[in-house]
Amino acid sequence: SVELVPLVVKTAALNRVMSAGRKMRRVSIKLSSLLLANAVIGSLVLVMLVVWTVLDPPLQQYDYILGATVVTTMSVNSEHLMVEQVPLCGSESNTWWILSVSWQLFLLLIATILAFQNRHYRQDL
């Protein structure tokens, strides 16, 4: 969301300017309002991440990877499979992952709609 939120805010402001221009109306967009929109949405994301961390703290889990076959040829000819244990951070619940992916999809949907609305505008604006 760090990369999508400013893009959505900027595209929404451009859309507002262009729609006002089509109606021959003057519109004023202040930098502070754009920064405030970014800060508010970023704060909401930060609050969600803090709640996620408090309610479902990360746990150390392990992923097991079946490695290559090791052949010992010194005294005994035998093959052994190596299993590698890789530590990773995980969660017991998929709810937070679903919520996070849904938020990203929502931002992508909004950005797509705004980009579609701005499709006929000139590039030099």
Side-chain angles (χ1 to χ4, degrees), residues 88-121:
L88 53 94
C89 241
S91 175
E92 293 180 0
S93 172
N94 284 336
T95 305
W96 298 103
W97 181 81
I98 292 170
L99 184 65
S100 175
V101 170
S102 299
W103 171 250
Q104 292 292 327
L105 287 175
F106 173 73
L107 286 176
L108 283 172
L109 178 68
I110 296 297
T112 302
I113 290 170
L114 288 170
F116 182 76
Q117 290 174 347
N118 291 338
R119 71 188 182 278
H120 294 300
Y121 301 140

Side-chain angles (χ1 to χ4, degrees), residues 8 11-12 16-17 19-20 25 27-28 32 35 43-44 50 53 61 63 68 83-84 92-93 95 98 106 121:
V8 169
T11 309
R16 228 172 61 197
V17 167
S19 2
R25 292 189 181 177
V27 65
S28 173
S32 61
L35 294 176
S43 298
L44 290 175
V50 168
T53 304
Q61 298 174 343
D63 192 15
V83 178
E84 186 177 351
E92 293 180 0
S93 172
T95 305
I98 292 170
F106 173 73
Y121 301 140

Side-chain angles (χ1 to χ4, degrees), residues 20-32:
R22 267 189 265 132
K23 297 175 186 175
M24 302 298 279
R25 292 189 181 177
R26 186 179 191 123
V27 65
S28 173
I29 296 179
K30 297 178 183 174
L31 179 63
S32 61

